[in-house]
Amino acid sequence: MPTPDPSSPAPAGAEPRIPCHVAVIMDGNGRWAERRRRPRAVGHRAGARAVNTCIDFCLERGIGALTLFAFSSENWGRPEDEVGALMKLFLNALDREVEELHRRGVRVRFIGQRDRFGPALVQRMAAAETTTRDNTRLNLTIAASYGGQWDIAQAARSLARDVAAGRLDPDAIDEAMLGSRVCLADLPPPDLFIRTGGEQRISNFLLWQLAYTELWFTDALWPELDAATLQRALDDFASRERRYGLTGAQVAGRPQETSE
Ligand code: IPE
Ligand code: IPE
Ligand code: MG
């Protein structure tokens, strides 16, 4: 994982700091539908529209990478009809949206245990990745059938294979090497994490990659997402001092008395 650059809050009058990479847990679709006495699948459909709001916002603000948690390893345990509705929705969304994303310069990729999906979805995912692979305006990653613990386990497995084959000395394994095998290793780690739906937890999202990410939570349910909510998250992010374990004076480049 690249070493983060400590940076202080923008001085008054300067351009606000924009996160390079935003990671989002899109939560609250089911409750949004239940409050309207509609089936949960209706909430997921409304949630798909909010995905476009979020992508538009990132494109407008020049945010270079967006990672969206669409379906967790644990979500496979939901009732069969809800999982089925979600699979149908993913398939339709891929058929409907990929051309337009490509036209807008978005590179689309997927992280997670892809072999758990059916062949039609696996084929659409691969096709979306191939079509958009040279785009550079926005790196959009969809985490689907993804778990942070699975991600760390697959990274460990890949190192173990190299050790077993005699290509790698176990003593050479450090944080940077493990970090180079987890998902998203080619992107800077997320600067800002956003979770809608009111819960304040990570729910097995990017456990490794979120080590120094700024966390932001809102009670707004995912289908209610609008640009004003995202702007509040960005404003809050711009006001924070990221210290990465250092002192405030170190980060600001100020001298500091450390002894009496
Ligand atoms: C997030 O919304 C979407 C997925 C997990 C697939 P939920 O479906 O978790 O909505 P709530 O949390 O039950 O309201
Ligand atoms: C996290 O939401 C997963 C996604 C949004 C895809 P959940 O609704 O599954 O999380 P919990 O169960 O509230 O922790
Ligand atoms: Mg939920």
Side-chain angles (χ1 to χ4, degrees), residues 26-32 34 40 44 69-72 75 78 82 86 90 195 197 199 221-222:
M26 313 186 286
D27 195 25
N29 293 349
R31 280 165 286 164
W32 184 88
E34 282 160 11
R40 291 173 60 86
H44 294 311
F69 203 7
F71 192 80
S72 74
N75 291 150
R78 291 193 178 191
E82 180 166 348
L86 279 163
F90 293 154
R195 181 173 187 149
E199 313 296 353
L221 302 173
W222 179 251

Side-chain angles (χ1 to χ4, degrees), residues 26 44 48 69-72 75-76 83-98 110 117 121 124-125 142-145:
M26 313 186 286
H44 294 311
F69 203 7
F71 192 80
S72 74
N75 291 150
W76 287 111
V83 173
L86 279 163
M87 295 305 131
K88 220 188 232 155
L89 189 66
F90 293 154
L91 207 57
N92 290 341
L94 283 172
D95 285 342
R96 207 178 47 237
E97 307 290 347
V98 170
F110 299 87
F117 291 115
L121 209 40
R124 287 327 191 277
M125 287 167 150
I142 310 290
S145 188

Side-chain angles (χ1 to χ4, degrees), residues 20 22 38 40 53 57 93-95 101 106 130 137 140 155 174 178 187 241 245 258:
C20 294
V22 176
R38 305 297 308 278
R40 291 173 60 86
T53 303
F57 183 86
L94 283 172
D95 285 342
L101 290 170
V106 179
T130 306
R137 208 172 148 213
L140 174 65
D174 59 8
L178 188 70
L187 294 176
E241 181 182 61
T258 49

Side-chain angles (χ1 to χ4, degrees), residues 13-220:
E15 283 290 308
R17 278 181 305 134
I18 298 277
C20 294
H21 183 176
V22 176
V24 183
I25 296 189
M26 313 186 286
D27 195 25
N29 293 349
R31 280 165 286 164
W32 184 88
E34 282 160 11
R35 281 180 199 170
R36 287 163 178 74
R37 299 180 196 288
R38 305 297 308 278
R40 291 173 60 86
V42 172
H44 294 311
R45 275 207 294 281
R49 289 193 288 277
V51 171
N52 287 328
T53 303
C54 192
I55 293 171
D56 290 349
F57 183 86
C58 290
L59 286 168
E60 275 165 26
R61 294 298 190 286
I63 292 166
L66 172 66
T67 300
L68 298 174
F69 203 7
F71 192 80
S72 74
S73 306
E74 290 72 27
N75 291 150
W76 287 111
R78 291 193 178 191
E80 214 178 303
D81 62 336
E82 180 166 348
V83 173
L86 279 163
M87 295 305 131
K88 220 188 232 155
L89 189 66
F90 293 154
L91 207 57
N92 290 341
L94 283 172
D95 285 342
R96 207 178 47 237
E97 307 290 347
V98 170
E99 269 317 308
E100 176 66 5
L101 290 170
H102 181 44
R103 201 187 57 75
R104 298 171 85 190
V106 179
R107 180 181 189 183
V108 185
R109 286 185 294 180
F110 299 87
I111 55 172
Q113 259 184 300
R114 207 175 292 203
D115 54 10
R116 296 187 70 177
F117 291 115
L121 209 40
V122 171
Q123 185 270 328
R124 287 327 191 277
M125 287 167 150
E129 289 178 329
T130 306
T131 304
T132 64
R133 73 177 157 211
D134 295 325
N135 294 337
T136 53
R137 208 172 148 213
L138 173 65
N139 256 298
L140 174 65
T141 306
I142 310 290
S145 188
Y146 176 87
Q149 293 176 336
W150 163 82
D151 192 357
I152 294 168
Q154 69 76 28
R157 209 159 39 237
S158 124
L159 292 174
R161 270 194 213 103
D162 285 355
V163 170
R167 289 190 294 264
L168 178 64
D169 175 357
D171 290 333
I173 297 173
D174 59 8
E175 293 93 320
M177 192 179 288
L178 188 70
S180 73
R181 305 280 175 117
V182 295
C183 296
L184 309 180
D186 63 328
L187 294 176
D191 301 296
L192 174 63
F193 160 101
I194 296 173
R195 181 173 187 149
T196 61
E199 313 296 353
Q200 304 204 353
R201 54 181 173 248
I202 306 288
S203 298
N204 200 15
F205 194 25
L206 304 163
L207 299 180
W208 177 277
Q209 299 85 342
L210 293 177
Y212 268 104
T213 303
E214 297 295 326
L215 308 180
W216 194 83
F217 300 93
T218 173
D219 287 337

